[in-house]
Amino acid sequence: MSPVPFTPLGEHCPRRARVLMIQGTSADVGKSLVVAGLCRAFTRRGLVVRPFKAQNMSNNAAVTVDADAPPAPDGTPARGEIGRAQALQAQACGAPRSVHMNPVLLKPQSDRDSQVVLRGRVLGTWSAAGYQAMKPELLPAVVDSLHRLAVEADLVLVEGAGCGAERYLRARDITNMGLAEAADLPVILLGEDARGGISASVIGAHHLWTPSERGRVVGYLVNRFRGDPAVFAPALEDMTAATGWPHLGTLGWFDGAARLAQEDSLALEGARSGDGRGLRIAVPRLPRVANFDDLDPLAAEPHVEVRWIPPGQPLPRDSDVILLPGSKATRADLEALYREGWHHDIHAHVRHGGHVVGLCAGYQMLGRVVRDPDGVEGPPGETPGLGLLEMETTLTGDKHLQDLDLRERRSGASLTGYEMHMGRTTGAALERPWLLLETPGGPRPEGAESPDGRVMGGYVHGLFAADGFRAHWLRQLGARPSGLDHGRRVEATLDALADHMEADLDLDRLWSLARPLG
C-alpha cells in the first residue's frame, strides 16, 4: 500500500512559528482541553496560533475546506475532515478548520479495524496490525502538514495522543516522541491528579523514555487538581527530583469542560441532562456512535432531558422522543440495536404516539434496509432497517462531505451545519422531506418524515446548534425553548477556559519554552 501522493510544501517557504508539544501520561488526562485553552489564551495575546494533532482516533469529526487542496470535479472547494477536538481548537484560535491540523484521522469501525483518513481523503479500512505497518509511510505527510501550519502562524501547539511513553508503540510512532524527534519539538508532559497516580505516571514515563527522548521534555504540568497545594507539594518535589524536569504549573479543575464538545464517547458514560420535568429524549448508546455532539445544544436546554441509554437497559417508556444518533458502522450498530431489543422499544414507542428522530446513520436505520454490497463498512451484505420510513439505503465508497451555511425554509432558521456520510438513500418517504434547505439553486428537500410527522430524519449534522431551528423543533413537540444562544455559550466557555489558563499557568514561561520549527 502506498499513501495518497501529496505535494510537499518546499524548502523555500519560510518557517515562522514556534512550536510546543503537549504529550500525556495516559489517554484522557485533558490534553485536548488544555491545548484549546492555550490556543484561546495565546490568541487573545495577539499571536496567530494553530493547533496540530498528527494522528487522532475519533468518530466525532468536523468538515474542513482547504484552499491548498485541488477542487472537486464540479469546481467546489476540496473538503476533508478532522477530529472534533481539533475543530474546537481551531475555533479557539479564530482560525478556519484545515486538514493539516489533524492529517491522520482514524475512525474505528470495530474493535480491530478503522477507516484511515489522510489529509481529508479516505484511504480505506485497515486492521490495527495493518495500520501499524503503514504508519511510517504517513510520517512525511504529517511533518509536511506541521510545516504548512508553521508558515501561517506565530505558535503551533501540538497535541500528542494517548500515552507518549508506550514502549511497544514507539518503533512506528508518528504522533508522540516519534514526531517530536522527526520534527525536533520541545515536549511538555501533562498528567492529571483527579484519579491519583500522577507521580507514578510521570516518573514511569521518565523511566520508559530513552535519554534523547527525556532530553526533549522541558517540564511537566499537573491537570485537574483538587485539594490542598501544601499537601501535594511533596509529590512535586518527588517528581522533579526523580526526573530533573521542572514543574511548570498546576491547573485546577475546570467546571466548564462539559459545555464544550467532547471527542471520546467515554464522556457519554452516565450522561444525563435536565431534571426529568421537561421534554424527555432517550438516546441508545450504540457501540460506534459518531458525531454525538449533535445533541449538546439539546442537553443544554433547561427544559429538555437527554438520557444516553447504555447496553443492557431498555429505552425508557416515559420518553417523549427516541433519537438515533450518527454511527461509523451503520449495519453493525443496527444489529447491536436488535441484539439489545431496542427495536421493540422503538416500535412500541411509535405505537403509543412517541416521536423518533434519526440523524445521519440513525436516519438510514429508519428505513426498510441498509445494504453494503461492496463491504464499505465490513463484510458485504444487508441488514433490515426499522421499517419506520418507506426508504432504503445503499452504502457506497464515496464519502459525502459538505459544509452548510444556509436557511431552513419551514423554520426560517439559519443553519451552519454539515453533512458527512457514505451511502445513498432512496424511496417514497423522500417525497415528504423533513427539511427544506434554501440553496443558491433553489429549495432543496432534505431527509424524510412519516405521514403523521412522528418519525423524521436526515443527513444534516449540527441542526440543533442552530438556535432558531432548535426552538422551532421544540415548540413543535410542545416543549418550551429557553432562548439559549448556543454559539455564544461555547465562545464564553472558551474565554473562561483561557482565563483558567492565565490564572494557573505562567504563559510567558511556556512561550519561552517553544522553539522555532526547523
Side-chain angles (χ1 to χ4, degrees):
M1 173 267 167
S2 178
V4 173
F6 69 95
T7 303
L9 186 62
E11 294 301 318
H12 64 282
C13 293
R15 316 295 201 246
R16 98 183 202 204
R18 292 189 185 190
V19 183
L20 188 61
M21 186 178 205
I22 309 275
Q23 289 190 36
T25 57
S26 72
D28 195 30
V29 295
K31 295 185 296 293
S32 295
L33 194 71
V34 169
V35 170
L38 292 175
C39 281
R40 176 56 63 94
F42 281 114
T43 297
R44 294 195 313 192
R45 290 184 166 207
L47 297 176
V48 177
V49 186
R50 295 292 181 266
F52 181 84
K53 185 165 185 171
Q55 170 199 293
N56 202 349
M57 178 176 280
S58 177
N59 280 332
N60 238 24
V63 173
T64 69
V65 176
D66 282 271
D68 62 351
D74 62 1
T76 57
R79 291 178 172 86
E81 54 183 310
I82 59 175
R84 173 59 59 189
Q86 281 62 63
L88 180 68
Q89 291 162 359
Q91 181 177 349
C93 297
R97 299 186 294 270
S98 166
V99 294
H100 299 301
M101 296 172 177
N102 176 204
V104 180
L105 177 61
L106 306 180
K107 308 189 82 171
Q109 294 184 173
S110 75
D111 289 342
R112 293 191 176 183
D113 58 64
S114 296
Q115 183 185 86
V116 180
V117 181
L118 174 63
R119 304 221 300 198
R121 295 181 61 183
V122 176
L123 296 185
T125 300
W126 269 264
S127 66
Y131 175 68
Q132 288 300 318
M134 177 177 69
K135 281 166 69 174
E137 299 181 63
L138 302 177
L139 185 58
V142 165
V143 174
D144 181 75
S145 286
L146 178 58
H147 283 191
R148 287 176 184 269
L149 294 179
V151 168
E152 65 185 51
D154 301 312
L155 175 65
V156 179
L157 292 167
V158 179
E159 179 185 339
C163 173
E166 290 286 15
R167 185 174 285 174
Y168 78 102
L169 295 173
R170 177 62 182 88
R172 297 179 180 273
D173 174 52
I174 63 171
T175 193
N176 288 309
M177 278 301 181
L179 174 63
E181 296 214 313
D184 192 20
L185 307 179
V187 174
I188 291 175
L189 182 61
L190 179 72
E192 65 104 35
D193 178 64
R195 288 171 289 193
I198 188 169
S199 296
S201 59
V202 169
I203 297 170
H206 181 272
H207 174 75
L208 290 170
W209 275 324
T210 66
S212 67
E213 291 168 340
R214 292 174 198 150
R216 296 199 166 275
V217 180
V218 296
Y220 65 91
L221 290 171
V222 178
N223 193 26
R224 296 174 181 155
F225 178 76
R226 283 173 162 164
D228 185 339
V231 174
F232 188 63
L236 300 176
E237 294 171 3
D238 285 346
M239 287 185 279
T240 297
T243 65
W245 300 329
H247 170 234
L248 299 176
T250 296
L251 283 160
W253 190 274
F254 180 64
D255 290 326
R259 297 196 293 272
L260 298 172
Q262 304 295 306
E263 184 172 67
D264 196 322
S265 61
L266 289 174
L268 302 179
E269 294 284 359
R272 182 171 181 159
S273 71
D275 57 10
R277 291 181 292 180
L279 186 75
R280 294 170 298 235
I281 301 175
V283 189
R285 187 179 169 191
L286 303 171
R288 299 300 164 194
V289 63
N291 298 84
F292 49 83
D293 58 309
D294 278 338
L295 278 69
D296 288 356
L298 290 172
E301 288 281 348
H303 307 298
V304 175
E305 180 186 48
V306 176
R307 292 178 282 186
W308 285 88
I309 310 303
Q313 293 186 19
L315 301 181
R317 293 184 180 181
D318 63 350
S319 303
D320 301 302
V321 180
I322 293 175
L323 195 150
L324 301 179
S327 165
K328 189 62 198 72
T330 307
R331 288 182 57 223
D333 272 1
L334 185 52
E335 290 163 1
L337 187 148
Y338 283 120
R339 287 196 301 273
E340 292 295 328
W342 284 334
H343 60 301
H344 295 307
D345 298 338
I346 293 170
H347 284 286
H349 175 77
V350 173
R351 285 197 305 272
H352 288 92
H355 290 77
V356 177
V357 178
L359 300 177
C360 201
Y363 167 54
Q364 295 173 338
M365 294 177 189
L366 298 177
R368 292 189 298 259
V369 65
V370 179
R371 298 188 177 92
D372 188 0
D374 300 321
V376 171
E377 289 188 350
E382 63 179 51
T383 303
L386 293 169
L388 297 176
L389 293 174
E390 291 295 312
M391 64 185 203
E392 54 190 48
T393 297
T394 300
L395 301 179
T396 62
D398 296 330
K399 179 173 285 191
H400 183 81
L401 297 170
Q402 185 176 4
D403 252 334
L404 301 175
D405 188 359
L406 37 75
R407 182 172 298 276
E408 203 280 314
R409 175 179 282 190
R410 289 170 178 160
S411 63
S414 297
L415 298 180
T416 53
Y418 62 98
E419 294 181 48
M420 178 184 294
H421 66 89
M422 304 178 95
R424 182 169 178 265
T425 300
T426 59
L430 276 65
E431 297 174 7
R432 294 181 298 274
W434 180 28
L435 310 172
L436 201 56
L437 307 178
E438 294 280 10
T439 71
R444 187 196 108 189
E446 163 60 27
E449 190 173 64
S450 62
D452 62 6
R454 292 189 176 275
V455 180
M456 64 203 78
Y459 280 119
V460 177
H461 291 285
L463 275 175
F464 298 118
D467 300 323
F469 179 83
R470 187 177 65 254
H472 168 81
W473 183 78
L474 290 173
R475 282 193 291 266
Q476 282 187 314
L477 272 65
R480 179 159 56 97
S482 66
L484 170 74
D485 186 326
H486 179 70
R488 183 175 296 177
R489 182 176 188 259
V490 171
E491 285 294 317
T493 304
L494 286 171
D495 281 334
L497 180 59
D499 292 341
H500 185 65
M501 299 289 145
E502 291 275 7
D504 287 357
L505 301 179
D506 183 345
L507 297 190
D508 291 330
R509 187 179 184 188
L510 296 188
W511 167 252
S512 72
L513 294 172
R515 297 183 202 146
L517 184 63

